[in-house]
Amino acid sequence: KVIWTLLVTILGYASSLPVSDDSICAAEELAKYSIIFTGKWSQTAFPKQYPLYRPPAQWSSLLGVTHSSDYSMWKKNEYASNGVRDFAEKGEAWVLMKEIEEAGEKIQSVHGIFSAPAISSGTGQTSTELEVHPRHPLVSFVVRIVPSPDWFVGVDSLNLCEGDHWVEEVSVDLFPYDAGTDSGFTFSSPNFATIPQDTVTEITCSSPSHPANSFYYPKLKILPPIAQITMVKLRKSQLGLPASYLNVQAKSNEIIDTVS
């Protein structure tokens, strides 16, 4: 009777443990998606200190990974890795690529790496394709804001699996993040390391609460999206087709109330 009671207790405890999102994915074996990154960083939407030259407003290449919950590229309110720091500050991907490869080799938490070309202006689109697996249904990526001290946009562990199927399409508005490794307030701030390193934080219209902050718009309640990502599941007949075939339209992102 004691053994039976103990067994029931153990089984009850095990059933109450949290189950990670990707452990219950029962979708078909593999799925491919087209991922379209749309920059919305215009002078009309973000007039304060908008970079016009040396260099003008633009986006770095997109670097992403499909993975399980055992891997994390970056997380809000946690410390950025050395790879994310180098990418956010200088757009250098070598250390981040090494971190991804090591995670894939050690704990098999990474299914694939994907990248998309840089955008030479604040507005525009870039795209690529990615592949997810039932054991690796999560998508993470980073894109550096150029110029900036250590600012970026991205997605952390977006799950493309819903029970027994893959989502057909998903769009996410993107907002700026501070990697916590450089103390600059403005787009063109000189390199000034944050010591000790801070955690990754979202930049808002009121935080950092300093007039010098390039995203400081105290009259706004919330910043408009500076970019958007759209992922569309590809049917077998669409594999290999360019993203333009999907006819994904960029949406307006202008601030109606003018900001001095």
Side-chain angles (χ1 to χ4, degrees), residues 3-4 19 28 42 52 64 90 113 123 130 138 142 145 152 162 196 219 238 243 247:
I3 295 175
W4 175 251
V19 179
E28 59 193 76
S42 69
L52 296 174
K90 299 173 284 189
I113 300 173
T123 59
L130 61 89
L138 308 179
V142 287
I145 298 173
F152 69 96
E162 290 185 346
K219 292 184 179 180
Q238 291 178 308
N247 195 30

Side-chain angles (χ1 to χ4, degrees), residues 22 25 29 67-69 108-109 132-138 166:
D22 53 330
C25 180
E29 186 66 13
H67 59 96
S68 69
S69 59
Q108 298 182 338
S109 57
V132 284
H133 183 274
R135 292 194 302 273
H136 305 87
L138 308 179
W166 299 105

